[in-house]
Amino acid sequence: MNDDAQILIARLLTHQTLRRDDKMVKRALSDEQFRIEVDKRLLESGLKLLDNVYADHVTIALHRNVEPKIFGAKDIWQNNNFGLTRDGVALLVVLWAQIILPKRERQETHVTVDDDQTDMFEKDAPIPRAEDTSIGISYTALLSDFGDKLGKKTRMDMNLGVLAKLGFIERRGDVILEGPLLDLMMDTDVLKERIINGALAEVFKRAPLAAAPRRAPADAEAANDPVAEAAAAPEEVPDTPN
């Protein structure tokens, strides 16, 4: 068991994320003793396993107890997550709100992208996978709605490139899709109320951005602080070797 825990942790450090349907990940999520061993060994290094039932991947992050010792005072390191600038963090929050919150609603009501009718037994079905419920948003519409507030096209394009490289999003033509980290690294319980009733309240009163299913690529284009100040920064993950 110890060797398996070592291998799983090494794989997570190397690849940053693993799918929930990976054999060893499934074991960590279902085998209590194995999970205890994995958590114990991660904690010894100041790390923790991050997973949630709404995401198709798992990852590792710094444990909250060691964050101040690594990054310093909270007001200093909070705005330096992944090296993102304030407009980059603001863009990340907007993308999370536009992609993840609607996806969560579809998952909780057991509705997939392809559903066109109600299943009378849908409540007994397992939560649909992210890839079956996650819908991308149009880059063109994102630029039109938020470009002026998020640094215009040049800054937005640069920050989208950084977010894609970090694994928060994927780009397919004009469509921006959920990446493996987007639903893992943001604290939904903290952010949801702040976003819906606060920073992005006006956005949610309007019609949603033009969207496309995750599995259907289309075409693409696209960083300042009102959103960032109103929303908490995402959790930090440790540097991982390539």
Side-chain angles (χ1 to χ4, degrees), residues 8-22 25 49-50 55-61 82 165-168 170 179-185 237-238 240-241:
L8 175 59
I9 292 170
R11 290 178 64 209
L12 283 165
L13 284 169
T14 302
H15 300 296
Q16 188 180 47
T17 62
L18 292 173
R19 289 187 60 87
R20 289 179 66 88
D21 56 13
D22 177 272
V25 172
L49 183 67
L50 280 185
D56 285 348
H57 296 78
V58 300
T59 189
I60 53 177
F82 300 98
K165 185 176 181 179
L166 290 171
F168 284 107
E170 295 177 4
L181 290 182
L182 190 59
D183 200 8
L184 282 173
M185 302 306 297
V237 295
T240 56

Side-chain angles (χ1 to χ4, degrees), residues 40-115:
K40 174 178 174 293
R41 298 181 70 160
L42 284 170
L43 185 58
E44 289 171 351
S45 299
L47 303 173
K48 63 182 177 181
L49 183 67
L50 280 185
D51 78 275
N52 71 60
V53 296
Y54 300 100
D56 285 348
H57 296 78
V58 300
T59 189
I60 53 177
L62 287 175
H63 196 281
R64 282 292 189 194
N65 292 341
V66 304
E67 285 181 350
K69 299 173 185 176
I70 303 299
F71 297 110
K74 186 174 183 179
D75 58 345
I76 297 175
W77 62 260
Q78 193 173 36
N79 289 322
N80 289 287
N81 288 274
F82 300 98
L84 291 172
T85 56
R86 289 165 68 94
D87 53 4
V89 174
L91 176 59
L92 175 59
V93 173
V94 168
L95 291 170
W96 177 84
Q98 292 287 343
I99 297 174
I100 298 303
L101 290 183
K103 183 199 75 169
R104 290 282 186 97
E105 183 176 352
R106 286 188 288 272
Q107 288 176 305
E108 289 172 356
T109 55
H110 297 261
V111 174
T112 66
V113 171
D114 298 326
D115 280 348

Side-chain angles (χ1 to χ4, degrees), residues 55-216:
D56 285 348
H57 296 78
V58 300
T59 189
I60 53 177
L62 287 175
H63 196 281
R64 282 292 189 194
N65 292 341
V66 304
E67 285 181 350
K69 299 173 185 176
I70 303 299
F71 297 110
K74 186 174 183 179
D75 58 345
I76 297 175
W77 62 260
Q78 193 173 36
N79 289 322
N80 289 287
N81 288 274
F82 300 98
L84 291 172
T85 56
R86 289 165 68 94
D87 53 4
V89 174
L91 176 59
L92 175 59
V93 173
V94 168
L95 291 170
W96 177 84
Q98 292 287 343
I99 297 174
I100 298 303
L101 290 183
K103 183 199 75 169
R104 290 282 186 97
E105 183 176 352
R106 286 188 288 272
Q107 288 176 305
E108 289 172 356
T109 55
H110 297 261
V111 174
T112 66
V113 171
D114 298 326
D115 280 348
D116 57 6
Q117 61 183 10
T118 301
D119 181 352
M120 64 183 293
F121 299 111
E122 64 182 3
K123 297 302 179 184
D124 296 325
I127 293 176
R129 296 179 304 173
E131 65 183 26
D132 295 327
T133 53
S134 186
I135 295 178
I137 62 174
S138 164
Y139 163 83
T140 304
L142 181 71
L143 180 60
S144 175
D145 283 355
F146 295 99
D148 289 343
K149 295 181 178 65
L150 298 175
K152 301 191 183 300
K153 186 178 187 303
T154 300
R155 289 289 301 175
M156 204 164 180
D157 283 346
M158 183 187 74
N159 284 318
L160 284 170
V162 172
L163 294 178
K165 185 176 181 179
L166 290 171
F168 284 107
I169 62 169
E170 295 177 4
R171 301 283 301 273
R172 295 183 190 172
D174 186 62
V175 181
I176 301 170
L177 296 161
E178 171 187 351
L181 290 182
L182 190 59
D183 200 8
L184 282 173
M185 302 306 297
M186 308 287 279
D187 191 333
T188 300
D189 293 336
V190 171
L191 289 179
K192 187 174 180 179
E193 282 302 310
R194 296 186 188 181
I195 287 174
I196 293 178
N197 298 317
L200 296 180
E202 291 303 313
V203 173
F204 283 95
K205 291 177 184 175
R206 305 200 307 261
L209 296 178
R214 180 176 184 77
R215 291 166 302 202

